[in-house]
Amino acid sequence: MTEPARILVVGGGYVGMYTALRLQRQLRAELRAGAAEIVVVTPEPYMTYQPFLPEAAAGSISPRHVVVPLRRVLDRCRIVIGEVRSVDHAKRTATLATLATAEEGTGAVDLTYDELVLAPGSVSRTLPVPGLLDHGIGFKTVEEAIGLRNHVIEQMDIASSTRDPAIRDAALTFVFVGGGYAGVEALAELEDMARYTARYYHNLKPEDLRWVLVEASDRILPEVGAEMGRYAIRELRGRNIDVRLETRLESCEDRVAVLSDGTRLPTRTVVWTAGVKPAPVLAATDLPLNERGRLRCTSRLAVEGVDHAWAAGDAAAVPDVTAEEPGRECAPNAQHAVRQAKVLAENITASLRGQPLKEYEHAYAGSVASLGLHKGVAHVYGRKLKGYPAWLMHRAYHLSRVPTFNRKARVLAEWTLSGLFKREIVSLGSLEHPRAEFELAAAPPPDHGDKPSS
């Protein structure tokens, strides 16, 4: 018997999951006959729907409904929890480390393949800002989103109980760096949540909390256009949020955020959302990269100049065939990623069957952004919306895009219930250190010396 054609999918995010999902449907006969095999290598056993992270942080959606379990959705694929460390495409070999290799102490193992799909996504783009490594908080994963929610409520607890005005002011100052989707939506949702939570503290008022958005360029939310970006700034400033444009974070050492305009902000919260960069594994391949570290791809989503290698999403520099300007690339966002995954799966299937490939062609439909409960901005198909209609469109669009009917139903149910009942204001910070209480109980009692004789 001949070996099955192995399709290796690196990454379980938008592109990885949707590509594998479509491949297992299109190659159903080959998979059943043992003529093909789909292997998905991913660090986590779930796909995170990142546009819902701000709402998860605000408590509008349960964290488990923001993620999609890969083993349930990709039931005809082989799921390997691990990380691809390098790829030698000339030898059709990927080197990966798994949970098992760590336990066995054998080091990374090699996995051969016939077709390669590189979709490792992106990681936070950080700058050498003093103190950022020690005090910065990211916002790309569901763990970070829930950790940030717990952190914000914990700071309110500290401010409520301290007698030191300096500690109180630092605890109630929240600095967000980056005026893109992640930064603006996270800040807006958490400010909304914290303002509501403040009513349950006897000595805190919403105006005691200070929220600062730091953006290096001259506008925020560039995807929704200049007009809607200006409206978003007015909306945020109307809620006493300090929006600093053309400003950079210079340092956050010793829990003091120093801005390029000279402002010094004692704070215990610095959230870094200033962009992303391609996953490091791309640099550990023998495949062509562009100046930004993304894979050079054709409009058919094949890696340029090589056979049997494919990519899409954040990892890929895909030509935008609908653009009027020559040489323009598709934006690395979720809208393109989901649509590219569909074409990518169809082209891999066509390649295996000796059929012609098709180009990825999709005109950008527009963008929507939430500014907190019942507030938003949108620029879709040339139409501009703001306030409640934009917020409603934001929810409707992302509800339609979150994978599986199961998740759609659960998210819709949670939204419905949140409209009928009060917000949850519980911080579960102990989740980050679940063994702390047991370790304290199991520790030997302190030695206080000999007991005095009676």
Side-chain angles (χ1 to χ4, degrees):
M1 293 180 62
T2 59
E3 291 291 322
R6 176 177 290 162
I7 303 170
L8 174 60
V9 180
V10 179
Y14 289 113
V15 175
M17 193 203 77
Y18 277 108
T19 300
L21 180 62
R22 199 163 186 86
L23 280 171
Q24 74 175 11
R25 291 172 180 169
Q26 295 180 331
L27 298 175
R28 187 180 290 108
E30 288 87 343
L31 292 171
R32 190 181 300 116
E37 178 188 20
I38 304 170
V39 180
V40 180
V41 179
T42 173
E44 306 291 348
Y46 52 79
M47 186 276 269
T48 302
Y49 191 72
Q50 291 184 344
F52 278 159
L53 289 183
E55 292 206 47
S60 300
I61 301 176
S62 172
R64 66 183 184 278
H65 298 157
V66 176
V67 299
V68 179
L70 294 178
R71 295 189 190 280
R72 178 185 296 173
V73 176
L74 305 178
D75 57 334
R76 290 188 289 276
C77 299
R78 176 183 163 200
I79 308 296
V80 178
I81 305 304
E83 293 184 5
V84 171
R85 297 287 175 82
S86 63
V87 173
D88 186 345
H89 189 65
K91 296 180 179 179
R92 302 290 192 274
T93 303
T95 302
L96 59 126
T98 68
L99 296 177
T101 58
E103 289 291 330
E104 295 164 355
T106 56
V109 297
D110 291 339
L111 180 68
T112 58
Y113 60 83
D114 298 285
E115 301 285 341
L116 173 68
V117 178
L118 273 169
S122 57
V123 297
S124 294
R125 183 189 65 200
T126 57
L127 299 175
V129 176
L132 184 62
L133 177 62
D134 297 321
H135 305 299
I137 302 172
F139 198 78
K140 271 190 65 64
T141 67
V142 66
E143 293 86 358
E144 288 175 327
I146 304 311
L148 181 56
R149 169 189 170 82
N150 293 334
H151 175 81
V152 169
I153 297 178
E154 183 180 85
Q155 298 312 303
M156 297 177 70
D157 289 335
I158 292 172
S160 175
S161 57
T162 184
R163 296 180 180 179
D164 188 328
I167 293 177
R168 175 186 169 95
D169 290 345
L172 295 181
T173 300
F174 306 95
V175 179
F176 285 68
V177 183
Y181 279 127
V184 172
E185 291 192 338
L187 183 151
E189 291 283 354
L190 282 164
E191 188 275 337
D192 225 3
M193 181 272 293
R195 183 162 22 89
Y196 175 87
T197 304
R199 69 177 67 180
Y200 295 99
Y201 289 81
H202 72 283
N203 58 350
L204 290 185
K205 295 178 291 186
E207 51 266 31
D208 294 336
L209 282 69
R210 184 177 186 184
W211 300 83
V212 183
L213 177 63
V214 179
E215 168 54 39
S217 70
D218 60 352
R219 61 177 179 169
I220 65 172
L221 297 175
E223 297 87 352
V224 299
E227 183 183 340
M228 290 295 97
R230 289 192 295 269
Y231 167 81
I233 291 174
R234 291 196 303 272
E235 169 66 29
L236 294 176
R237 286 175 173 166
R239 290 155 57 179
N240 291 322
I241 296 173
D242 186 357
V243 181
R244 304 283 184 101
L245 301 179
E246 299 183 70
T247 307
R248 298 178 307 279
L249 177 69
E250 298 286 354
S251 169
C252 57
E253 288 184 305
D254 302 321
R255 294 192 179 276
V256 176
V258 181
L259 307 185
S260 58
D261 61 6
T263 304
R264 295 175 62 87
L265 300 169
T267 177
R268 300 168 63 89
T269 309
V270 175
V271 183
W272 184 269
T273 60
V276 296
K277 62 182 179 181
V281 67
L282 299 185
T285 71
D286 55 350
L287 299 171
L289 305 178
N290 69 0
E291 63 281 358
R292 294 185 180 181
R294 299 166 70 196
L295 290 163
R296 294 183 182 276
C297 293
T298 69
S299 58
R300 293 175 174 83
L301 304 177
V303 177
E304 197 175 87
V306 297
D307 297 325
H308 309 292
W310 314 79
D314 291 349
V318 179
D320 187 352
V321 298
T322 66
E324 297 178 0
E325 310 165 22
R328 190 171 178 181
E329 297 172 354
C330 295
N333 56 37
Q335 185 179 148
H336 280 299
V338 173
R339 289 171 171 82
Q340 286 173 355
K342 176 182 177 181
V343 176
L344 178 54
E346 291 175 353
N347 279 350
I348 293 173
T349 302
S351 175
L352 291 173
R353 294 173 178 172
Q355 299 170 348
L357 310 183
K358 67 179 184 180
E359 290 188 327
Y360 172 72
E361 182 178 354
H362 171 67
Y364 192 56
S367 300
V368 291
S370 169
L371 299 177
L373 193 62
H374 301 156
K375 297 173 283 288
V377 289
H379 189 182
V380 182
Y381 293 115
R383 298 193 63 182
K384 300 170 184 177
L385 299 172
K386 56 188 178 182
Y388 185 82
W391 173 82
L392 198 61
M393 178 175 286
H394 173 271
R395 282 202 160 182
Y397 173 77
H398 287 301
L399 184 65
S400 70
R401 292 301 171 188
V402 68
T404 77
F405 177 78
N406 181 309
R407 286 295 175 273
K408 293 184 197 320
R410 290 178 182 274
V411 169
L412 183 60
E414 287 197 309
W415 282 344
T416 303
L417 290 173
S418 66
L420 300 174
F421 300 100
K422 296 180 179 180
R423 280 178 183 257
E424 292 290 346
I425 60 168
V426 176
S427 166
L428 296 177
S430 59
L431 288 176
E432 298 168 31
H433 307 285
R435 295 189 69 247
E437 184 175 349
F438 180 79
E439 289 172 353
L440 183 63
D447 185 7
H448 297 299
D450 295 331
K451 293 182 179 180
S453 57
S454 56

